[in-house]
Structures are given as structure tokens and as C-alpha cells.
């Protein structure tokens, strides 16, 4: 393979792997900070842990390739090539697992019945997404809170300049959309970012298996310097 082309492929692999590793870790950490605001700590634990681990491993793979090319360490390149096989299998397994996770099941766990136990979570959800109830504002009428406050919805459903305790269900200031749709869309966006990043990571990690070997062979032939000149 032409040294210039090989150098470009190798450097691109380093950059992509490092960037994907940072993206995976950053997105997962953001989710760890974001989800608990709505009382969903337990629902994302496994997902975020797997994503952070994969991101850290991917970043480490990218940085190790960078270190190898900077130090011109041929043995290290061969080790990276062999370890990339295991890393690729791990990343592929994580991708397949994460891609089959259902956001719908997590959304289905939302219930207006939990409002009295966790009012701050539901209030924040409704205020942030400007929504009311699960599917529609009238969901509140069948909840325990709604049975105590007939014809009313919580203040977080009301589009008012100042906070209110509650407002009439039939009022024009009540958010008309339920929370399930916007929350699902937001979660789906986060999951899609992670799954897409994992797919790209798998492709470039697979290429790292062969590229690292090729670079090590070039170095053995004393033409390695031409990759970094």
C-alpha cells in the first residue's frame, strides 16, 4: 500500500476512534446527569455504564495508536492490532445490545399516579417539555391527585408567567400535548447518537486491526518515517 495513503488511513482511524470515544462518554455522562431529574435513575444504569465503558475503551484504543505512531514502536502496533480484535468484538456486542434496547418500555413507566410521591420530577418534566399528563392533560382526572382536585391539573401544566399551584383542565393556558411523545423523541435522539457512534466505532476499530499491522510492517522495512514526514 502507498505510504501516503496508509498514513492517511491510520491517522483518520486514530482521530475517528478518539472522537467516537469522547462522544460516547460525553453523551452517556450527560444522560446520567439528565435522567435523574425526572426520577429515572434506575432505568438507564446498565445502558450508561456500558456506553461509558465502551467509550473509554475506544478512546484508549485511539490514544494507544497515537502513542505507537509517535514513538514508532513496532511491537506496540502489533499488540494494538491483536487487542483490536477483542475490542471490536466487545464494541460489536455492545452495539447489538444497545440497538435492541426499547425506549418505549421506559416511557411506559411514566404514571400520573406517582405524582404525589414524586411531584418535583413530574413538575420538572412538564415544565421542561411544556406538556401535561402522559398522553393528554385529561390523564390527570383519573389519577389520585386528580380525584382530590377535580377538574384541575398541576401548576406545572399551566403556561403562566408566575408559578401556580394548579389551574382548570379546560383553561386555554394548559399545555395541550402529553409528555410521552416529546420525552420519547428526546430519549430516541440520545440513543440514536450513541448507536450511530458505536456503529462508526466498530467500522474503524475493525480497520485498526489491519492498518496497525500494515504500519508495523512498513516500519520493519525502514520506510516508516515516510508516514510521519
Amino acid at each position: 500500500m502507498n505510504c501516503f495513503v496508509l498514513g492517511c488511513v491510520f491517522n483518520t482511524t486514530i482521530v475517528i476512534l478518539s472522537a467516537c470515544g469522547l462522544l460516547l462518554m460525553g453523551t452517556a455522562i450527560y444522560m446520567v446527569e439528565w435522567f435523574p431529574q425526572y426520577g429515572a435513575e434506575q432505568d438507564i444504569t446498565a445502558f450508561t455504564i456500558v456506553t461509558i465503558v465502551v467509550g473509554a475503551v475506544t478512546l484508549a484504543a485511539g490514544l494507544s495508536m497515537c502513542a505507537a505512531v509517535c514513538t514508532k514502536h513496532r511491537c506496540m502496533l502489533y499488540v494494538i492490532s491483536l487487542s483490536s480484535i477483542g475490542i471490536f468484538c466487545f464494541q460489536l456486542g455492545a452495539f447489538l445490545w444497545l440497538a435492541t434496547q426499547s425506549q418505549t418500555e421506559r416511557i411506559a413507566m411514566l404514571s400520573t399516579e406517582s405524582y404525589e410521591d414524586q411531584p418535583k420530577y413530574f413538575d420538572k418534566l412538564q415544565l421542561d417539555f411544556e406538556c401535561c399528563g402522559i398522553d393528554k392533560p385529561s390523564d390527570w382526572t383519573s389519577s389520585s391527585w386528580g380525584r382530590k382536585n377535580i377538574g384541575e391539573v398541576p401548576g406545572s401544566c399551566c403556561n403562566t408567567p408566575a408559578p401556580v399551584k394548579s389551574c382548570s383542565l379546560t383553561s386555554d393556558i394548559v399545555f395541550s400535548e402529553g409528555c410521552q411523545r416529546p420525552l420519547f423523541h428526546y430519549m430516541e435522539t440520545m440513543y440514536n447518537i450513541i448507536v450511530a457512534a458505536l456503529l462508526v466505532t466498530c467500522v474503524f476499530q475493525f480497520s485498526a486491526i489491519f492498518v496497525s499491522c500494515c504500519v508495523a510492517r512498513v516500519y520493519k522495512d525502514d520506510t516508516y518515517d515516510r508516514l510521519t514526514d
Side-chain angles (χ1 to χ4, degrees):
M1 182 184 292
N2 181 277
C3 288
F4 175 76
V5 175
L6 181 58
C8 288
V9 173
F10 189 80
N11 291 331
T12 300
T13 301
I14 292 174
V15 172
I16 295 296
L17 285 178
S18 301
C20 285
L22 289 172
L23 178 61
L24 287 169
M25 292 176 66
T27 305
I29 292 172
Y30 172 74
M31 291 176 70
V32 169
E33 293 295 322
W34 181 78
F35 272 71
Q37 299 179 65
Y38 307 109
E41 298 98 326
Q42 301 302 319
D43 298 334
I44 61 164
T45 301
F47 188 94
T48 51
I49 288 177
V50 170
T51 304
I52 290 173
V53 171
V54 173
V57 170
T58 302
L59 179 61
L63 294 178
S64 63
M65 290 177 69
C66 182
V69 77
C70 289
T71 59
K72 303 177 183 179
H73 202 297
R74 184 164 61 91
C75 290
M76 187 176 179
L77 286 166
Y78 280 127
V79 170
I80 290 173
S81 180
L82 291 174
S83 62
S84 291
I85 299 175
I87 295 173
F88 168 75
C89 293
F90 173 61
Q91 291 167 339
L92 183 61
F95 166 74
L96 294 174
W97 181 73
L98 294 177
T100 58
Q101 294 301 293
S102 172
Q103 298 90 20
T104 305
E105 292 178 1
R106 294 180 172 84
I107 297 296
M109 295 179 68
L110 283 175
S111 171
T112 51
E113 287 296 330
S114 64
Y115 182 75
E116 291 184 318
D117 297 326
Q118 301 176 319
K120 66 176 183 178
Y121 296 132
F122 229 109
D123 283 339
K124 183 167 180 58
L125 175 66
Q126 295 184 142
L127 288 171
D128 287 355
F129 288 94
E130 296 186 348
C131 58
C132 185
I134 307 302
D135 296 306
K136 53 189 181 300
S138 59
D139 289 339
W140 286 105
T141 60
S142 59
S143 68
S144 57
W145 184 92
R147 288 190 288 272
K148 295 177 182 177
N149 300 271
I150 299 175
E152 300 283 308
V153 292
S156 55
C157 279
C158 313
N159 187 11
T160 57
V164 294
K165 183 178 181 181
S166 64
C167 62
S168 173
L169 175 62
T170 58
S171 173
D172 293 336
I173 62 174
V174 175
F175 296 127
S176 59
E177 184 177 21
C179 294
Q180 179 167 279
R181 186 188 297 269
L183 182 57
F184 177 82
H185 178 72
Y186 192 86
M187 290 177 65
E188 188 177 41
T189 300
M190 294 292 103
Y191 280 77
N192 286 342
I193 290 174
I194 290 176
V195 171
L198 263 175
L199 180 59
V200 173
T201 297
C202 288
V203 172
F204 280 89
Q205 192 67 58
F206 185 74
S207 70
I209 299 171
F210 302 101
V211 175
S212 297
C213 279
C214 292
V215 172
R217 291 190 64 181
V218 170
Y219 176 56
K220 183 179 180 181
D221 295 334
D222 296 326
T223 57
Y224 185 83
D225 289 337
R226 291 158 61 186
L227 290 173
T228 55
D229 286 342

